Amino acid sequence: MRLDHIRNFCIVAHIDHGKSTLADRLLERTATLDRRQMREQVLDDNDLERERGITIKLHAVRMLYRDPAGSEYELNLIDTPGHVDFTYEVSRSLAACEGALLVVDATQGVQAQTLSNLFLALDAGLEIIPVLNKIDLPGAEPERRRNEVADLLGVEPDSVLLASAKEGVGIDEVLQAVVSRVPPPAGDPDAPLRALIFDSYYDKYLGAVPSVRIVDGTVRPGTSITFGNVDRRYEVTEVGYLRLGRVPQPELAPGEVGYVVAAIKEVADTRVGDTVLDADRRASELLPGYREARAMVFAGLYPTSSDDYEDLRDALQRLKLNDASLHYEPETSGALGFGFRCGFLGLLHMEIVQERLDREFGVDLITTVPNVEYHVRLTNGTEQRVESPTALPDPGRIESIAEPVVRAHIMLPADYIGFVQKLCHERRGVFKGMSYLDPQRVEMNFELPLSEIVLDFYDRLKGGSRGYAALDYEFLEYRPDDLIKLDILVNGDPVDAFSVVIHREKAFEYGRDLVRKLKELIPRQQYEVSLQAAIGGNVIARTNVKALRKNVTAKCYGGDITRKRKLLEKQKEGKKRMKQVGTVEIPQEAFLAVLNLGSE
């Protein structure tokens, strides 16, 4: 295919604005898939994506389009996720494209993720084609939303395309706009090979298979390749493009998007953002890669049975192959045994990883309370990074603890301003300003500690605004505050899985609620079990799980009170001895109770 007849573009939008449905219509219109292969959200091939109705992974597909004049074009489409947790997938797609379809819902208008994905696309220097989707819905306001998008981009309202992906309206205009407005890729077929890896997956027969965008040079079977960051040599056995499956081709030329098979055993070699080079004719300059995906939320993952530790390790290794943003390292816990401390991009990302470990690898998990990374300044002037409350140094050595603070943008109907103000104030948020997007909608800006967002903030925000509020946030800085470690003691022994780093003002309420909850969930033993919440040596909340007691005086009818007392004292002694050697079995529900403590 001639270079000026290739178009590489992606679709970006807020979650649920119709990206995947629009991709379906484009595939249908270009006859890329026959009727037998078509189904709803055809590119979302993972069961989880289909169940939740969201895109989690980026998906590349090639289409052939013949315009009304009869010229044939090769269109490479990359469908991207819309949720804030998967922004790193969007940034990877953008680097492989020259243009982006910005899809906006005609009923909801511009939302938080619309803006953040738009800024990512503008930073990458992409040509933006605005598309107003869902114009067939009863609540759609095409003209008002069209002007809103035109104002945002600084373009004429006529250049905003109107479409209904569900009904198939305006699809031809979208394809025409891609051909006429998106610039063709640049590249030199005679230069040394340079290809950008934007995704990779593992195949048990073929090894690691990177998805690439060829920038310069040509790659064909028999080419010896190496990578910018790894000095290893592989021979290419197959190249081609993706269309639900692999479609082999004789070669991949500049501007094309496809895959490379070269029996790459080490998954670490195909790092996303690395450059594929010709081993015999290395290019002098590597392509600019990606910023490393930065873990924001940390939690411990432990197998329910310690025998499954090896299975969990293998599952995490295989999952990391096509999820570059997952970080993990081994750790041990007194209460839960051997497991892994994992870093995630957000709570949804954590949920998806847990679900995939359960479904795809059949691993039963216990998850500890999610927390964030803290920077601890010690009295000797050094600084430590702490991802888990159990790793906090002795309180006497700590000078200050700094927590990550994010800048949050919340878009919502003006009716819910009071609710959002109250919610953010409860979460130690600092109000930074507010602007009206139109008479009905407003954008509010807050600085919030990330630890206050990770658990149930998003659910509370959605619930209290009847689903209308949209949240987007970016990391701002580490800021010192009055933070302390709160321990939960069961019979005087701290259980590390329940430990949290928390603001001093909130410690009493949290500790009290948690010991009450645990009292309901820990089964009664033969002896009394004490549950305490403590800061250092100070107990701030306490309750007891009453002992199971046998009626030892039942056989005494009437008679001497001292006989009864003697039997009761003997029972008491037995319970005391039992308590010294007994261990309390903590059920799995107790560990899960911590996760939904705030929502009750």
Side-chain angles (χ1 to χ4, degrees):
M1 183 65 73
R2 281 170 34 199
L3 200 59
D4 60 343
H5 277 225
I6 297 175
R7 299 288 184 273
N8 298 320
F9 70 104
C10 59
I11 306 180
V12 295
H14 185 79
I15 189 167
D16 223 12
H17 277 203
K19 293 179 298 304
S20 300
T21 312
L22 180 60
D24 288 353
R25 293 296 87 77
L26 296 176
L27 292 173
E28 227 168 55
R29 173 64 189 80
T30 53
T32 301
L33 303 176
D34 57 35
R35 278 211 172 285
R36 198 167 41 84
Q37 292 172 296
M38 272 317 287
R39 57 178 183 170
E40 294 252 322
Q41 292 164 347
V42 67
L43 291 181
D44 293 346
D45 51 10
N46 183 317
D47 287 345
L48 264 177
E49 294 182 307
R50 304 190 67 75
E51 273 172 36
R52 288 173 176 246
I54 58 173
T55 305
I56 296 166
K57 289 286 303 162
L58 57 87
H59 300 274
V61 65
R62 180 184 289 191
M63 306 180 282
L64 291 176
Y65 170 66
R66 196 177 291 280
D67 71 0
S71 304
E72 191 164 65
Y73 291 87
E74 176 190 303
L75 308 182
N76 292 306
L77 159 68
I78 300 177
D79 183 25
T80 66
H83 194 279
V84 62
D85 277 13
F86 302 115
T87 306
Y88 74 102
E89 290 275 343
V90 179
S91 67
R92 281 160 41 181
S93 318
L94 300 178
C97 301
E98 280 79 33
L101 294 178
L102 180 74
V103 178
V104 179
D105 187 325
T107 57
Q108 296 180 7
V110 175
Q111 297 284 312
Q113 277 302 104
T114 314
L115 286 176
S116 77
N117 288 339
L118 169 63
F119 294 142
L120 281 175
L122 290 172
D123 287 347
L126 267 55
E127 178 64 38
I128 308 291
I129 301 174
V131 178
L132 203 59
N133 191 22
K134 305 192 183 185
I135 56 168
D136 59 308
L137 291 184
E141 303 170 280
E143 287 315 310
R144 181 178 150 213
R145 299 303 183 195
R146 192 181 208 172
N147 292 331
E148 195 178 288
V149 175
D151 290 346
L152 175 68
L153 294 171
V155 295
E156 288 300 313
D158 294 348
S159 66
V160 180
L161 305 175
L162 298 179
S164 165
K166 192 176 171 190
E167 300 295 327
V169 176
I171 303 303
D172 285 325
E173 288 79 355
V174 171
L175 285 165
Q176 265 307 112
V178 169
V179 168
S180 58
R181 296 196 214 170
V182 174
D188 180 356
D190 302 320
L193 172 67
R194 290 196 306 164
L196 177 73
I197 301 178
F198 64 87
D199 196 18
S200 72
Y201 71 93
Y202 193 77
D203 184 293
K204 57 187 173 191
Y205 302 114
L206 304 174
V209 180
S211 297
V212 295
R213 151 75 197 268
I214 310 291
V215 176
D216 289 320
T218 308
V219 63
R220 50 176 70 89
T223 307
S224 288
I225 58 165
T226 182
F227 301 98
N229 294 323
V230 183
D231 196 14
R232 288 218 179 99
R233 197 183 172 99
Y234 296 103
E235 187 174 316
V236 176
T237 55
E238 185 188 310
V239 297
Y241 61 83
L242 294 161
R243 185 178 279 180
L244 287 198
R246 297 188 312 278
V247 182
Q249 292 291 296
E251 64 175 32
L252 286 178
E256 295 197 304
V257 172
Y259 68 90
V260 175
V261 176
I264 302 163
K265 295 184 193 68
E266 292 290 320
V267 175
D269 292 358
T270 59
R271 256 198 41 224
V272 168
D274 202 355
T275 309
V276 180
L277 303 166
D278 189 326
D280 301 320
R281 190 172 159 229
R282 283 180 75 111
S284 54
E285 202 179 324
L286 296 180
L287 297 168
Y290 303 107
R291 282 205 313 244
E292 274 290 301
R294 184 177 175 157
M296 287 295 211
V297 177
F298 297 86
L301 296 185
Y302 294 86
T304 42
S305 159
S306 52
D307 301 342
D308 297 340
Y309 175 75
E310 301 289 327
D311 296 345
L312 175 59
R313 190 186 59 200
D314 296 346
L316 282 169
Q317 267 175 355
R318 285 163 64 190
L319 200 57
K320 189 165 170 56
L321 300 185
N322 65 356
D323 188 348
S325 60
L326 174 66
H327 298 282
Y328 64 91
E329 57 190 42
E331 75 166 4
T332 52
S333 149
L336 301 170
F338 293 101
F340 292 91
R341 165 112 332 228
C342 301
F344 308 96
L345 297 170
L347 222 58
L348 178 68
H349 185 213
M350 179 175 126
E351 231 176 275
I352 297 295
V353 168
Q354 280 175 268
E355 191 106 352
R356 286 186 68 185
L357 286 170
D358 179 28
R359 288 185 184 201
E360 294 170 30
F361 307 103
V363 184
D364 266 345
L365 291 175
I366 292 177
T367 310
T368 62
V369 192
N371 48 46
V372 297
E373 183 179 88
Y374 296 95
H375 288 186
V376 181
R377 193 164 188 75
L378 303 175
T379 45
N380 63 5
T382 57
E383 193 172 273
Q384 238 180 323
R385 294 183 168 201
V386 174
E387 295 167 3
S388 151
T390 45
L392 269 181
D394 192 68
R397 293 171 51 214
I398 296 175
E399 189 181 299
S400 66
I401 302 177
E403 62 182 343
V405 174
V406 297
R407 185 183 281 118
H409 310 284
I410 301 172
M411 288 193 173
L412 65 152
D415 309 354
Y416 300 107
I417 290 174
F419 162 75
V420 172
Q421 283 274 26
K422 179 171 176 282
L423 178 65
C424 293
H425 182 66
E426 283 171 5
R427 301 301 172 103
R428 300 190 284 129
V430 179
F431 181 60
K432 284 290 170 188
M434 177 167 91
S435 56
Y436 275 86
L437 303 168
D438 57 41
Q440 279 83 39
R441 288 188 319 137
V442 65
E443 181 186 339
M444 299 175 79
N445 296 314
F446 288 89
E447 284 177 9
L448 282 155
L450 182 62
S451 58
E452 297 283 356
I453 291 181
V454 294
L455 266 182
D456 60 341
F457 180 81
Y458 190 67
D459 295 344
R460 294 275 303 276
L461 180 69
K462 281 287 187 195
S465 63
R466 289 173 51 202
Y468 285 116
L471 167 74
D472 182 36
Y473 60 84
E474 73 256 9
F475 174 74
L476 186 62
E477 63 179 358
Y478 272 87
R479 196 176 286 172
D481 211 333
D482 188 9
L483 301 167
I484 48 158
K485 180 184 169 191
L486 178 73
D487 284 315
I488 300 296
L489 313 178
V490 175
N491 266 354
D493 298 325
V495 179
D496 48 10
F498 292 137
S499 299
V500 288
V501 176
I502 195 165
H503 196 272
R504 194 180 294 275
E505 284 178 4
K506 295 191 158 197
F508 169 70
E509 193 183 338
Y510 181 87
R512 182 196 63 198
D513 292 348
L514 185 52
V515 293
R516 281 181 184 167
K517 188 76 185 156
L518 292 177
K519 181 182 177 181
E520 296 167 19
L521 294 170
I522 291 178
R524 288 169 71 182
Q525 316 285 321
Q526 291 291 337
Y527 47 88
E528 190 170 78
V529 176
S530 65
L531 301 172
Q532 298 165 308
I535 299 165
N538 298 332
V539 174
I540 56 168
R542 173 184 173 126
T543 185
N544 291 334
V545 179
K546 289 273 182 272
L548 288 168
R549 300 191 65 163
K550 182 182 170 192
N551 186 357
V552 289
T553 60
K555 59 181 178 281
C556 302
Y557 49 91
D560 189 1
I561 187 69
T562 53
R563 171 78 182 133
K564 289 183 179 175
R565 195 163 289 144
K566 191 175 171 185
L567 286 167
L568 289 168
E569 288 299 326
K570 194 173 168 190
Q571 184 187 36
K572 212 176 196 177
E573 280 302 311
K575 299 273 184 204
K576 204 181 244 176
R577 275 204 308 278
M578 208 186 281
K579 186 169 185 172
Q580 284 164 3
V581 294
T583 54
V584 182
E585 280 290 315
I586 300 174
Q588 195 176 339
E589 295 79 57
F591 296 107
L592 300 176
V594 187
L595 298 177
N596 46 29
L597 193 66
S599 57
E600 292 179 8

